[in-house]
Amino acid sequence: MKFTDGQWLLQPGVAAHYAAEAYAVEVHEDRLVVLAATRPIKHRGDTLQGPTLTVTLSSPLEGVIRVSVEHYSASMPPRLHVPMPGAGRPAVQIVDGEAKATLTSGAISVDVKKGEGWSLTFRDGERVLTKSDWRGLGYVQWGSKGNHVHEQLTLAVGENVYGLGERFTPWVKNGQVVENTNKDGGTACEQAYKSVPFYLTNRGYGVLVNEAGPVSFEVGSEKVARVQFSREGESLDYCVIAGPNPKEVVQRLTALTGRAPLPPAWSFGLWLTTSFTTQYDEATATHFIDEMARRELPLSVFHFDCFWMREFQWCDFEWDRRGFPEPEAMLKRLHAKGLKISLWINPYVAQKSPLFAEGVKQGYFIKRKGGPQDGLTYQTDQWQPGMAIVDFTNPAAKAWYQGHLRRLLAMGADCFKTDFGERIPSEGVAYFDGSDPVEMHNLYALKYNEAVFELLQEVQGKDAIVFARSTYASGQRFPVHWGGDCWSTFESMAESLRGGLSLTSCGFAFWSHDIGGFEGNPPPAVYKRWIQFGLMSSHSRLHGSSFYRVPWLVDEESCDVLRVFTRLKHQLMPYLYAKAHEATQTGVPLMRAMLMEHPQDPACATLDRQYQLGEALLVAPVFSEAGEVDFYLPGSEGEGRWTHLLSGEKKPGGRWHRETHGFLSLPLYAAPNSVIAWGAETEKPDYDYARGTVLRVFELDDGASAAFTVVGLDGSVAARGRVSRQGQRYAAEVTEGALRDWCLDVAGRRSPVLAKGAELSWSA
């Protein structure tokens, strides 16, 4: 939201009051409390009338500074904030000097300038990260548009802003206006299913705006050298998070807001769905599954989309017996084929659903507030006719909803696709617990997914997983998330990647998207290139809207591409699952932007058509029918060459490359001085990663060593060790756990297999 009209004027009707000086600073054991006057105080008369702002500086976590700003402190109801399960009261150091007061938490300090001239300076040591400076902090009165509090934090020359949730707009957010409100808008617009009021910059810090309700970001778009964020109301709360690099920023962010549990290994395999509005029944599903097996296309999960239930009745959690006459027996047969089963759900109950009357009677739905309908059930025709919305702030409603899912799990379902949760009314409604509907609009998606994930953890244990579309800050605690409704084009494939990179930069460890695009019927080139991209993502799902996504309906070569890349992912699982486990411990995502892995390489600051899977693998999807792709390999002179994982071709880092790839290849490069644990299984993702393991060594410098880790299906470390090189001799040592029937691979040459033992030495 813009409050100014250029540099000197305000928008018509705006009265702005900017922090002008820190008139008084109170020093407490764990915080500083600043009385910020909105005009210079020259004499006693200046203390009369006009607003002041109370600014409290504290720390919820080492390396994080929290700034809480209030105008009126008692005239507004208590507000909802971003869930912060990791918040505490770490030790801080406070120095109260004559010219400034400083609060330090770990690596980050904030200086409050005393006297005339407002300034908050955030530092990492002596390095300035950002500032709230002249006319940065403000209280704005705007007639019918309400009162607002805004903050403006400075941007340095060359500083880029990233994140702000799953944003499909350009990856670098400078120049954009971002509204932090969840909406069901698809991937082709500026809206987001997954709003996260957090941004990361290439100067090694991040900012989390600790608000549940709508926040408007002007990223260098109102003041070109500042990020402004504002909310309607009498207060504003935000945290500045130290680095000094992007990984450490995200580690602190997720230590504060929570980290993802480890998804089950089977979930990393290929998912196939019925698609959405296609015609399907048990015979259709069985045919797809059997044909996948006949064509030797490995499949891990089969998903039944909306029409597993009867039309007009979503959700009633009852199988449509016209197409699925014996669902228990069907699910048992599918399990016997080695498949896991996913079912589509949403948090709405249609008026025709048999559950609707019960929900109304028991008060399980969001209610209307005010006017002649006060206290009655809120209903809408958007999506399901006459539908009501489950009120997850009501413990009884939550238990009721979970009870129906529990019945489906007992029947044989393994997980749920938690769709929707964005079209939640922000006014004219009331929640059971009295929550402000404006602030609940974004938090609703969290409540919804938490209810489902909590049940899955109770029933399925470590096999708990959802496939969620909507979420909010801290939603990484309930994995996995997918990118929503994209089109079957290269452009939409690229915008999906931008959304994924933006989301994972906000601490979301796992992310997926609809292979082939959701809307439309993908041309063969788009479908095959999207298969490559999809299988080189953390989670991989074939899904569409009005067309099936089975490969033989596209062309025969699509079957070959799907087979090759599904098997490739399975063999990469010892490496990928170790990186997934690492993500649950550190918050650093499995799929990460180039900036996050290579913050010191300025060429990586704007790259949004390639990414890394962990630190050892670089993926550059192909976005052209001809197969031509430009990509950048990081590094500098003498740092070693990157190795194409499939062909073995080696290329130098620190430069751009242009290649043309057929459909069985793409730029997929292993980093120099890396070890990738390679699995023995091609037909499924969940197997014993510590048996038959090949430690593939890539361009290890003479005298250097590289670490490896192999994680078991239960999430425990199965083996950990290092590979070192002296001349042509390579030595591997397992320092924790054990590998069985393992060997080394250097440039395609393999050592003898070691059945047992912790040490292997071999001349390549």
Side-chain angles (χ1 to χ4, degrees), residues 296-337:
E296 298 183 336
L297 300 171
L299 184 62
S300 298
V301 183
F302 191 82
H303 168 75
F304 292 89
D305 217 51
C306 316
F307 285 94
W308 69 271
M309 292 178 280
R310 188 182 288 261
E311 69 276 7
F312 293 116
Q313 296 186 189
W314 309 337
C315 282
D316 61 3
F317 307 107
E318 294 289 346
W319 288 86
D320 182 355
R321 301 286 173 148
R322 296 171 301 177
F324 306 97
E326 297 181 336
E328 296 94 335
M330 177 189 70
L331 296 181
K332 187 174 182 179
R333 287 192 294 272
L334 297 184
H335 279 143
K337 297 176 184 289

Coordinates of all heavy atoms in Angstrom, one line a residue, residues 296-337:
E296 N 6.4 -51.1 -17.1 CA 7.6 -51.0 -16.2 C 7.8 -49.5 -15.9 O 9.0 -49.1 -15.9 CB 8.8 -51.7 -16.9 CG 8.6 -53.1 -17.1 CD 9.9 -53.8 -17.7 OE1 10.7 -53.0 -18.3 OE2 10.1 -55.0 -17.5
L297 N 6.8 -48.9 -15.5 CA 6.8 -47.5 -15.0 C 6.6 -47.5 -13.5 O 5.5 -47.7 -13.1 CB 5.8 -46.6 -15.7 CG 5.9 -46.5 -17.3 CD1 4.7 -45.9 -17.9 CD2 7.2 -45.8 -17.6
P298 N 7.6 -47.4 -12.7 CA 7.5 -47.5 -11.3 C 6.5 -46.5 -10.7 O 6.6 -45.3 -11.1 CB 8.9 -47.3 -10.7 CG 9.8 -47.6 -11.9 CD 9.1 -47.2 -13.1
L299 N 5.6 -46.9 -9.8 CA 4.6 -46.1 -9.3 C 4.6 -46.3 -7.8 O 4.6 -47.5 -7.3 CB 3.3 -46.4 -9.9 CG 2.1 -45.5 -9.4 CD1 2.3 -44.0 -9.8 CD2 0.8 -46.0 -10.1
S300 N 4.5 -45.3 -7.0 CA 4.5 -45.4 -5.5 C 3.2 -45.0 -4.9 O 2.8 -45.7 -3.9 CB 5.6 -44.5 -4.9 OG 6.9 -44.9 -5.4
V301 N 2.5 -44.0 -5.4 CA 1.3 -43.5 -4.8 C 0.2 -43.3 -5.8 O 0.5 -42.7 -6.9 CB 1.5 -42.2 -4.0 CG1 0.3 -41.8 -3.3 CG2 2.7 -42.3 -3.0
F302 N -1.0 -43.8 -5.6 CA -2.1 -43.4 -6.4 C -3.1 -42.6 -5.7 O -3.5 -42.8 -4.6 CB -2.8 -44.7 -6.9 CG -3.8 -44.4 -8.1 CD1 -3.3 -44.3 -9.4 CD2 -5.1 -44.2 -7.8 CE1 -4.2 -43.9 -10.4 CE2 -6.0 -43.8 -8.8 CZ -5.5 -43.7 -10.1
H303 N -3.4 -41.5 -6.4 CA -4.3 -40.5 -5.7 C -5.7 -40.4 -6.4 O -5.8 -40.3 -7.6 CB -3.6 -39.1 -5.8 CG -4.6 -38.0 -5.4 ND1 -4.9 -37.7 -4.1 CD2 -5.2 -37.0 -6.2 CE1 -5.8 -36.7 -4.1 NE2 -6.0 -36.3 -5.4
F304 N -6.7 -40.4 -5.6 CA -8.1 -40.3 -6.0 C -8.5 -38.8 -5.8 O -8.5 -38.4 -4.7 CB -9.0 -41.2 -5.3 CG -8.8 -42.7 -5.6 CD1 -7.9 -43.4 -4.9 CD2 -9.5 -43.3 -6.7 CE1 -7.8 -44.8 -5.2 CE2 -9.4 -44.6 -7.0 CZ -8.5 -45.4 -6.2
D305 N -8.8 -38.1 -6.9 CA -9.1 -36.7 -6.7 C -10.6 -36.6 -6.4 O -11.3 -37.6 -6.1 CB -8.8 -35.9 -8.0 CG -8.3 -34.5 -7.7 OD1 -7.4 -34.4 -6.8 OD2 -8.8 -33.5 -8.2
C306 N -11.2 -35.4 -6.5 CA -12.5 -35.0 -5.8 C -13.6 -36.0 -6.0 O -14.4 -36.3 -5.1 CB -12.9 -33.6 -6.4 SG -11.7 -32.4 -6.5
F307 N -13.7 -36.6 -7.3 CA -14.9 -37.3 -7.6 C -14.8 -38.8 -7.1 O -15.6 -39.6 -7.5 CB -15.1 -37.3 -9.1 CG -15.7 -36.0 -9.6 CD1 -14.9 -35.0 -10.1 CD2 -17.1 -35.7 -9.5 CE1 -15.4 -33.8 -10.5 CE2 -17.6 -34.5 -10.0 CZ -16.8 -33.6 -10.5
W308 N -14.0 -39.0 -6.1 CA -14.1 -40.3 -5.4 C -15.4 -40.2 -4.5 O -16.0 -41.2 -4.1 CB -12.9 -40.7 -4.5 CG -12.6 -39.8 -3.3 CD1 -11.8 -38.7 -3.3 CD2 -13.0 -40.0 -2.0 NE1 -11.8 -38.1 -2.0 CE2 -12.5 -38.9 -1.2 CE3 -13.8 -41.0 -1.4 CZ2 -12.7 -38.8 0.2 CZ3 -14.0 -40.9 0.0 CH2 -13.5 -39.8 0.8
M309 N -15.8 -38.9 -4.2 CA -17.1 -38.7 -3.6 C -18.1 -38.3 -4.6 O -17.8 -37.9 -5.7 CB -16.9 -37.5 -2.5 CG -16.0 -37.9 -1.3 SD -15.8 -36.5 -0.1 CE -14.5 -35.6 -1.0
R310 N -19.4 -38.4 -4.2 CA -20.4 -38.0 -5.1 C -20.5 -36.5 -5.4 O -20.2 -35.7 -4.5 CB -21.8 -38.5 -4.5 CG -23.0 -38.4 -5.5 CD -24.2 -38.8 -4.8 NE -24.3 -40.3 -4.6 CZ -25.0 -41.1 -5.4 NH1 -25.6 -40.6 -6.4 NH2 -25.0 -42.4 -5.2
E311 N -20.8 -36.1 -6.6 CA -20.9 -34.7 -7.0 C -21.9 -34.0 -6.1 O -22.8 -34.6 -5.6 CB -21.2 -34.5 -8.4 CG -22.6 -34.9 -8.8 CD -22.8 -36.4 -9.1 OE1 -21.8 -37.2 -8.9 OE2 -23.9 -36.8 -9.5
F312 N -21.6 -32.7 -5.9 CA -22.4 -31.8 -5.0 C -22.4 -32.1 -3.5 O -23.0 -31.4 -2.7 CB -23.9 -31.8 -5.4 CG -24.2 -31.2 -6.8 CD1 -24.7 -32.0 -7.8 CD2 -23.9 -29.9 -7.0 CE1 -25.0 -31.5 -9.1 CE2 -24.2 -29.3 -8.3 CZ -24.7 -30.1 -9.3
Q313 N -21.6 -33.1 -3.1 CA -21.6 -33.5 -1.7 C -20.2 -33.4 -1.1 O -20.0 -33.9 0.0 CB -22.1 -34.9 -1.6 CG -23.5 -35.1 -2.0 CD -24.1 -36.5 -1.8 OE1 -25.2 -36.7 -2.2 NE2 -23.4 -37.3 -1.1
W314 N -19.3 -32.7 -1.7 CA -17.9 -32.5 -1.1 C -18.0 -31.5 0.1 O -18.5 -30.4 -0.1 CB -16.9 -32.0 -2.1 CG -16.9 -32.8 -3.4 CD1 -17.3 -34.1 -3.6 CD2 -16.5 -32.3 -4.6 NE1 -17.2 -34.5 -4.9 CE2 -16.7 -33.4 -5.6 CE3 -15.9 -31.1 -5.1 CZ2 -16.3 -33.3 -6.9 CZ3 -15.6 -31.0 -6.4 CH2 -15.8 -32.1 -7.3
C315 N -17.6 -32.0 1.2 CA -17.1 -33.3 1.6 C -18.1 -34.0 2.4 O -18.7 -33.4 3.3 CB -15.8 -33.2 2.4 SG -14.3 -32.9 1.4
D316 N -18.4 -35.3 2.1 CA -19.1 -36.1 2.9 C -18.3 -37.3 3.4 O -18.7 -38.1 4.2 CB -20.4 -36.6 2.3 CG -20.2 -37.4 1.0 OD1 -19.0 -37.7 0.7 OD2 -21.2 -37.8 0.4
F317 N -17.1 -37.5 2.8 CA -16.1 -38.5 3.2 C -16.7 -39.9 2.9 O -16.3 -40.8 3.6 CB -15.7 -38.3 4.6 CG -15.2 -37.0 4.9 CD1 -15.9 -36.1 5.7 CD2 -13.9 -36.5 4.5 CE1 -15.4 -34.8 6.0 CE2 -13.4 -35.3 4.7 CZ -14.2 -34.4 5.5
E318 N -17.6 -40.0 1.9 CA -18.1 -41.3 1.6 C -17.8 -41.6 0.1 O -18.0 -40.7 -0.8 CB -19.7 -41.3 1.8 CG -20.1 -41.2 3.2 CD -19.8 -42.4 4.0 OE1 -19.5 -43.5 3.4 OE2 -19.9 -42.3 5.2
W319 N -17.3 -42.8 -0.2 CA -17.1 -43.2 -1.6 C -18.4 -43.1 -2.4 O -19.4 -43.5 -1.9 CB -16.5 -44.5 -1.6 CG -15.0 -44.6 -1.1 CD1 -14.6 -44.7 0.2 CD2 -13.9 -44.5 -1.9 NE1 -13.3 -44.7 0.2 CE2 -12.8 -44.6 -1.0 CE3 -13.6 -44.3 -3.3 CZ2 -11.4 -44.5 -1.5 CZ3 -12.3 -44.3 -3.7 CH2 -11.2 -44.4 -2.8
D320 N -18.2 -42.7 -3.6 CA -19.4 -42.8 -4.5 C -19.5 -44.2 -5.0 O -18.7 -44.7 -5.8 CB -19.1 -41.8 -5.7 CG -20.2 -41.8 -6.7 OD1 -21.2 -42.6 -6.6 OD2 -20.2 -41.0 -7.7
R321 N -20.5 -44.9 -4.5 CA -20.6 -46.3 -4.7 C -21.0 -46.7 -6.2 O -20.9 -47.8 -6.6 CB -21.6 -47.0 -3.8 CG -21.2 -46.8 -2.3 CD -20.1 -47.6 -1.8 NE -19.7 -47.3 -0.5 CZ -19.2 -48.2 0.4 NH1 -19.1 -49.5 0.0 NH2 -18.8 -47.9 1.6
R322 N -21.3 -45.7 -6.9 CA -21.6 -45.9 -8.3 C -20.3 -46.3 -9.1 O -20.4 -47.1 -10.0 CB -22.3 -44.7 -9.0 CG -23.6 -44.3 -8.4 CD -24.1 -43.0 -8.9 NE -23.2 -41.9 -8.6 CZ -23.3 -40.6 -8.9 NH1 -24.4 -40.3 -9.7 NH2 -22.5 -39.7 -8.6
G323 N -19.3 -45.6 -8.7 CA -18.0 -45.9 -9.4 C -17.0 -46.8 -8.6 O -16.1 -47.4 -9.1
F324 N -17.3 -46.8 -7.3 CA -16.4 -47.5 -6.3 C -17.3 -48.3 -5.4 O -17.5 -48.0 -4.2 CB -15.5 -46.6 -5.6 CG -14.7 -45.6 -6.5 CD1 -15.2 -44.3 -6.7 CD2 -13.6 -46.0 -7.1 CE1 -14.5 -43.5 -7.5 CE2 -12.8 -45.1 -7.9 CZ -13.3 -43.9 -8.1
P325 N -17.9 -49.5 -5.9 CA -18.9 -50.2 -5.1 C -18.3 -50.9 -3.9 O -19.0 -51.0 -2.9 CB -19.4 -51.2 -6.1 CG -18.3 -51.4 -7.1 CD -17.7 -50.0 -7.2
E326 N -17.0 -51.3 -3.9 CA -16.4 -51.9 -2.7 C -15.1 -51.3 -2.4 O -14.0 -51.9 -2.7 CB -16.3 -53.4 -3.0 CG -17.6 -54.2 -3.2 CD -17.4 -55.6 -3.4 OE1 -16.3 -56.0 -3.9 OE2 -18.3 -56.4 -3.2
P327 N -15.1 -50.1 -1.9 CA -13.8 -49.4 -1.7 C -12.8 -50.1 -0.8 O -11.6 -50.1 -1.1 CB -14.2 -48.0 -1.1 CG -15.6 -48.2 -0.6 CD -16.2 -49.3 -1.4
E328 N -13.3 -50.7 0.3 CA -12.4 -51.4 1.2 C -11.6 -52.5 0.4 O -10.4 -52.6 0.5 CB -13.1 -52.0 2.3 CG -13.8 -51.0 3.2 CD -15.2 -50.8 2.9 OE1 -15.6 -51.0 1.7 OE2 -16.0 -50.3 3.8
A329 N -12.3 -53.3 -0.4 CA -11.7 -54.4 -1.1 C -10.7 -53.8 -2.2 O -9.6 -54.3 -2.5 CB -12.7 -55.3 -1.8
M330 N -11.2 -52.7 -2.8 CA -10.3 -52.1 -3.9 C -9.0 -51.6 -3.2 O -7.9 -51.8 -3.8 CB -11.1 -50.9 -4.5 CG -10.2 -50.1 -5.5 SD -11.0 -48.6 -6.1 CE -10.9 -47.6 -4.6
L331 N -9.1 -50.9 -2.1 CA -7.9 -50.4 -1.5 C -7.0 -51.5 -1.0 O -5.7 -51.4 -1.1 CB -8.3 -49.5 -0.3 CG -9.0 -48.2 -0.6 CD1 -9.3 -47.4 0.6 CD2 -8.3 -47.4 -1.6
K332 N -7.6 -52.6 -0.6 CA -6.8 -53.7 -0.2 C -6.0 -54.3 -1.4 O -4.8 -54.7 -1.3 CB -7.6 -54.8 0.4 CG -6.9 -56.0 1.0 CD -7.8 -57.0 1.7 CE -7.0 -58.1 2.4 NZ -7.9 -59.0 3.1
R333 N -6.7 -54.4 -2.6 CA -6.0 -54.8 -3.8 C -4.9 -53.9 -4.2 O -3.8 -54.3 -4.7 CB -7.1 -55.0 -4.9 CG -8.0 -56.1 -4.8 CD -8.8 -56.4 -6.1 NE -9.7 -55.3 -6.4 CZ -10.9 -55.2 -5.9 NH1 -11.4 -56.2 -5.1 NH2 -11.7 -54.2 -6.3
L334 N -5.1 -52.6 -4.1 CA -4.1 -51.6 -4.5 C -2.9 -51.7 -3.6 O -1.7 -51.6 -4.0 CB -4.7 -50.2 -4.5 CG -5.8 -50.0 -5.6 CD1 -6.2 -48.5 -5.6 CD2 -5.3 -50.4 -7.0
H335 N -3.2 -51.9 -2.3 CA -2.0 -52.1 -1.4 C -1.2 -53.3 -1.7 O 0.0 -53.3 -1.6 CB -2.6 -52.2 0.1 CG -2.9 -50.8 0.7 ND1 -3.9 -50.6 1.5 CD2 -2.3 -49.6 0.6 CE1 -4.0 -49.4 1.9 NE2 -3.0 -48.7 1.4
A336 N -1.9 -54.3 -2.1 CA -1.2 -55.6 -2.5 C -0.3 -55.4 -3.7 O 0.6 -56.1 -3.9 CB -2.3 -56.7 -2.8
K337 N -0.6 -54.4 -4.5 CA 0.3 -54.0 -5.6 C 1.5 -53.1 -5.2 O 2.2 -52.7 -6.0 CB -0.5 -53.3 -6.7 CG -1.6 -54.1 -7.3 CD -2.4 -53.3 -8.3 CE -3.6 -54.1 -8.9 NZ -3.2 -55.1 -9.8

